[in-house]
Amino acid sequence: MANVGGTSMTHPLKATAEAIGSAGGDPRTNRTSLFMNANEGPAEIAAKISGVNLGGKREDDSAYFTNNEGHPWPDPYEVVLSKKDMSDRKTEPTARPSAGFLCKADFLKSAGQKTPIFLRFSTVTLGREFPDSARNPRGFAIKFYTAEGNYDIVGLNWPIFFCRDPIQGPDVIRSQSRNPKNFLLDYDATFDLLACTPEGNHAGLMFFSDHGTPDGWINEHGYGCHTFKWVNQEGKFVYIKYHFIATHGQKQLSEPEAIRISGEDPDYSKRQLWEAIENGQEVEWTAKVQIMQPDEADANKLGFDPFDVTKVWPRGQFPVGEACRPTVRAFTRTC
């Protein structure tokens, strides 16, 4: 600001901003157009989503979810989670003869066919700073690089999940995350979720059993959890559930063992897998499926909903058959 002849003069840019502000606009003229929402305050966002200011109200006028800064997501189902401890491995499965009769997917058509795979291990809610052996669900995800495109299966090291309704997914993650007040793990939040979500207690029991502390990644099974559909060349379909069974066996750590290893070697699972591959060991899983015919998928007859991710299919009624064998032979190069 300058003073000329006893009269104060306002900088032109500031004067412009003040004029815009007095007219009800945003006085911050230096905002970029691409990321302009990043600078919006709570009052401005509230004015948009409530319809007081035009341009921010969705056409379908549905409920809004916001991120930690109070900015609405474009869709209530779009949830961005923190980056967790993830390790990726290059793998190659071999198809088995039975799958080709039930599924027209290229990588399952013929026995002995090999398909490149990307296999990801992870912890679900704890960050990279947490030891590998800590109590947590383990992510088990596979991407098949088929001739027809990528086929992704994302699951866990047990066959069920904590909630039935997908909109409760963020609640599950937050219930196992750190308390923002003190950044400590808050088991009160975990048990609040389980108490208010009775269908989640199956996963809760597995979480607090030794399944919550597997003996590294190479000694755990993987499951697709959800119900998938296989369609054959004739257009007929069946429902299936994926089971990835470690051919070298499933092993868990007791709670005292997990606590000890967490202190002695926080990178236990990563080191175990790396050393196995460096020593020439092929770490292999057998991909198996349970098959349900469409006329069997009747919740009234079964006594449970076959599409409910908190339920398992009885193996006596729906036997498990082999589909292919994913094998880990090398680490990927990551940047």
Side-chain angles (χ1 to χ4, degrees):
M1 182 185 298
N3 191 310
V4 180
T7 303
S8 62
M9 297 183 62
T10 305
H11 191 281
L13 289 179
K14 185 177 181 181
T16 302
E18 289 176 351
I20 294 173
S22 64
D26 190 337
R28 293 169 292 178
T29 56
N30 60 341
R31 294 166 63 188
T32 60
S33 59
L34 182 59
F35 298 107
M36 58 191 312
N37 282 348
N39 292 322
E40 291 180 349
E44 186 173 355
I45 292 174
K48 281 188 174 183
I49 64 178
S50 62
V52 174
N53 288 351
L54 298 178
K57 195 172 182 180
R58 288 165 49 125
E59 291 183 2
D60 61 2
D61 196 23
S62 64
Y64 280 82
F65 273 66
T66 60
N67 64 10
N68 292 339
E69 288 72 41
H71 304 154
W73 293 116
D75 188 279
Y77 292 93
E78 181 180 342
V79 180
V80 179
L81 305 177
S82 301
K83 194 171 185 180
K84 305 302 175 187
D85 183 13
M86 299 183 294
S87 294
D88 305 292
R89 310 290 175 255
K90 186 190 299 181
T91 65
E92 193 174 74
T94 303
R96 296 292 158 184
S98 59
F101 296 103
L102 297 171
C103 183
K104 64 180 179 181
D106 179 76
F107 73 103
L108 292 173
K109 277 184 179 178
S110 58
Q113 182 172 340
K114 294 183 178 181
T115 305
I117 271 186
F118 202 66
L119 179 58
R120 174 178 62 80
F121 303 95
S122 66
T123 51
V124 175
T125 54
L126 304 174
R128 285 181 179 270
E129 81 282 359
F130 225 74
D132 288 352
S133 301
R135 183 172 303 282
N136 207 238
R138 301 305 196 275
F140 190 100
I142 299 182
K143 183 189 291 289
F144 292 80
Y145 294 99
T146 80
E148 300 171 310
N150 296 342
Y151 183 56
D152 294 287
I153 303 172
V154 180
L156 297 173
N157 64 317
W158 54 62
I160 35 77
F161 195 56
F162 292 88
C163 64
R164 179 184 300 128
D165 188 341
I167 200 62
Q168 288 183 285
D171 297 334
V172 173
I173 300 302
R174 289 166 186 155
S175 74
Q176 297 175 27
S177 298
R178 296 181 179 276
N179 188 323
K181 282 186 177 180
N182 50 28
F183 206 59
L184 297 175
L185 293 178
D186 188 353
Y187 286 112
D188 286 344
T190 304
F191 282 100
D192 280 346
L193 174 88
L194 295 176
C196 297
T197 315
E199 67 270 20
N201 279 283
H202 188 176
L205 288 170
M206 300 201 76
F207 179 61
F208 287 103
S209 74
D210 289 347
H211 287 279
T213 52
D215 184 1
W217 293 323
I218 66 177
N219 294 314
E220 68 179 23
H221 297 335
Y223 300 89
C225 298
H226 289 283
T227 299
F228 294 77
K229 181 190 284 188
W230 273 3
V231 183
N232 67 13
Q233 293 285 4
E234 299 175 356
K236 297 179 180 179
F237 68 88
V238 293
Y239 297 115
I240 64 107
K241 275 189 177 289
Y242 286 107
H243 303 249
F244 298 94
I245 307 301
T247 55
H248 37 283
Q250 180 180 226
K251 300 176 185 177
Q252 287 94 26
L253 301 171
S254 66
E255 184 173 17
E257 288 174 325
I259 293 173
R260 176 182 58 81
I261 293 173
S262 293
E264 292 177 353
D265 185 3
D267 299 315
Y268 177 77
S269 298
K270 292 185 281 291
R271 194 182 315 280
Q272 181 191 59
L273 181 58
W274 174 268
E275 290 178 353
I277 295 173
E278 286 290 290
N279 293 331
Q281 178 183 349
E282 290 189 354
V283 185
E284 186 179 75
W285 284 262
T286 300
K288 297 186 176 184
V289 294
Q290 286 179 282
I291 298 171
M292 181 182 293
Q293 298 297 330
D295 58 358
E296 295 177 305
D298 187 331
N300 293 324
K301 295 178 181 177
L302 291 171
F304 66 94
D305 184 351
F307 307 107
D308 184 345
V309 74
T310 67
K311 301 289 192 298
V312 296
W313 293 359
R315 297 191 183 189
Q317 189 174 358
F318 303 100
V320 179
E322 186 173 334
C324 64
R325 289 188 177 180
T327 304
V328 179
R329 293 194 176 94
F331 278 73
T332 60
R333 292 181 60 187
T334 56
C335 300

